[in-house]
Amino acid sequence: MDLLDQINKENVPYHVAIIMDGNGRWAKLKGKPRVFGHKNGVKSVRETIKAAGNAGVKALTLYAFSTENWNRPKAEVKTLMALFLTSLKSEVKELIKNNIKFQIIGDQESLTKSVLKGLNKVIEQTKNNDALTLTIALSYGSREEIVNSFKNISKKIVNKELSIEEIDENIINNHLYTFTLPDVDLMIRTSGEKRISNFLLWQIAYAELHFTNVLWPDFTKNDFYNAILEYQNRERRFGKTGEQIKTTNEI
Ligand code: FPP
């Protein structure tokens, strides 16, 4: 059964972020090397992008590679980078056909020139698309992002382009890698781990969190729809009382 029909199209999370976890364990369960899990994870990425589009999600942000992931065995890192590039190359037509804008967030300086070149080509080819913004977090760490924003804000203060009094939440937002995106509404993590692992710490201030035991290569469109259905059953209060929320909704 397809759970898409059960989704209330009036209350779809605008921005969904996913920590795609469990590729290594999935492969191990099958007696295969870790990279086998990553390769099969690409299928789930494809299916999830499609599901997000069908549900009416406008922004999907996927945690593909963290700043800490550079410490993994060299061969795994190399395979992952190659996998990002080949998947992107084989999917670019689909992205264009489905009006999907592709972008990346993270510490671009640590990526190799060839990876950056491949990514930038697709960013350029899809920059005017607006049905869904697909953001891949690559060499991304939330603390690194915040440090980077502090540096850029400080430079502006030194150059007198900005005063200390002007610093507010908007200014900080505008200096994060995610400056084009609104806050996250729903964050999903697969594989049963219940932590955030340095992903979008600032942006999830009021996000609903959904944890599932499904390992990423097994994650299907119905798992995605199920997360949205759970989101729709929650009451988002943003610090207000339940009563206040009901009154605002009735107006
Ligand atoms: C986490 O599983 C997954 C990753 C570090 C990589 C995610 C990459 C993909 C899903 C491949 C394709 C991605 C794109 C964007 C085309 P893990 O290795 O940490 O698994 P474990 O916790 O079981 O070891």
Side-chain angles (χ1 to χ4, degrees):
M1 194 180 64
D2 198 321
L3 296 178
L4 180 62
D5 302 338
Q6 294 180 28
I7 289 175
N8 170 8
K9 287 292 173 73
E10 304 295 312
N11 182 26
V12 173
Y14 188 99
H15 185 184
V16 179
I18 308 184
I19 303 176
M20 311 180 285
D21 198 9
N23 292 351
R25 275 163 285 165
W26 185 89
K28 197 172 174 200
L29 283 170
K30 296 191 153 32
K32 304 268 187 184
R34 298 175 54 80
V35 292
F36 183 70
H38 297 317
K39 284 179 186 156
N40 278 275
V42 177
K43 253 191 312 103
S44 302
V45 171
R46 203 177 295 124
E47 184 160 337
T48 300
I49 297 169
K50 231 184 254 167
N54 290 343
V57 167
K58 297 295 288 178
L60 178 69
T61 302
L62 304 177
Y63 205 2
F65 195 88
S66 72
T67 41
E68 292 73 28
N69 286 154
W70 290 111
N71 299 321
R72 290 195 174 192
K74 270 207 177 87
E76 183 174 342
V77 171
K78 210 171 157 200
T79 310
L80 270 172
M81 290 297 154
L83 198 59
F84 297 144
L85 271 190
T86 49
S87 317
L88 199 57
K89 274 185 195 149
S90 67
E91 296 302 320
V92 63
K93 272 197 189 136
E94 271 306 284
L95 294 177
I96 294 169
K97 192 178 112 201
N98 289 295
N99 196 15
I100 296 171
K101 176 177 176 167
F102 173 82
Q103 58 179 26
I104 51 168
I105 52 170
D107 174 24
Q108 294 197 12
E109 280 174 24
S110 51
L111 298 172
T112 64
K113 279 206 183 95
S114 70
V115 168
L116 256 184
K117 195 174 159 209
L119 295 168
N120 281 332
K121 193 168 169 209
V122 180
I123 291 171
E124 181 61 29
Q125 281 173 296
T126 63
K127 68 177 183 202
N128 295 321
N129 295 349
D130 63 2
L132 169 73
T133 299
L134 170 66
T135 306
I136 302 292
L138 250 189
S139 191
Y140 175 87
S142 198
R143 288 186 171 182
E144 191 281 325
E145 175 184 42
I146 292 169
V147 168
N148 181 63
S149 83
F150 269 50
K151 284 186 182 160
N152 288 329
I153 291 171
S154 306
K155 272 184 214 152
K156 288 188 183 169
I157 292 173
V158 171
N159 294 337
K160 305 222 175 339
E161 290 165 49
L162 195 68
S163 72
I164 291 178
E165 290 66 36
E166 280 174 299
I167 298 177
D168 59 9
E169 292 187 10
N170 267 330
I171 296 282
I172 295 181
N173 261 324
N174 290 340
H175 289 81
L176 297 174
Y177 296 135
T178 52
F179 68 97
T180 58
L181 295 167
D183 275 359
V184 174
D185 298 300
L186 169 65
M187 180 176 274
I188 301 171
R189 182 171 190 149
T190 59
S191 90
E193 307 292 356
K194 294 186 179 64
R195 46 176 183 267
I196 304 301
S197 300
N198 203 13
F199 192 38
L200 305 172
L201 299 179
W202 171 277
Q203 300 86 338
I204 57 165
Y206 291 101
E208 295 295 327
L209 307 178
H210 175 91
F211 298 103
T212 168
N213 289 331
V214 175
L215 301 174
W216 181 252
D218 286 332
F219 192 81
T220 63
K221 59 181 181 189
N222 273 345
D223 291 313
F224 184 79
Y225 297 146
N226 198 34
I228 295 186
L229 289 170
E230 188 185 295
Y231 166 92
Q232 294 187 331
N233 276 323
R234 301 223 190 133
E235 181 184 64
R236 301 187 77 197
R237 293 206 290 268
F238 301 96
K240 294 182 181 165
T241 67
E243 282 312 307
Q244 283 175 307
I245 296 294
K246 278 194 195 91
T247 329
T248 333
N249 288 344
E250 276 159 19
I251 291 169

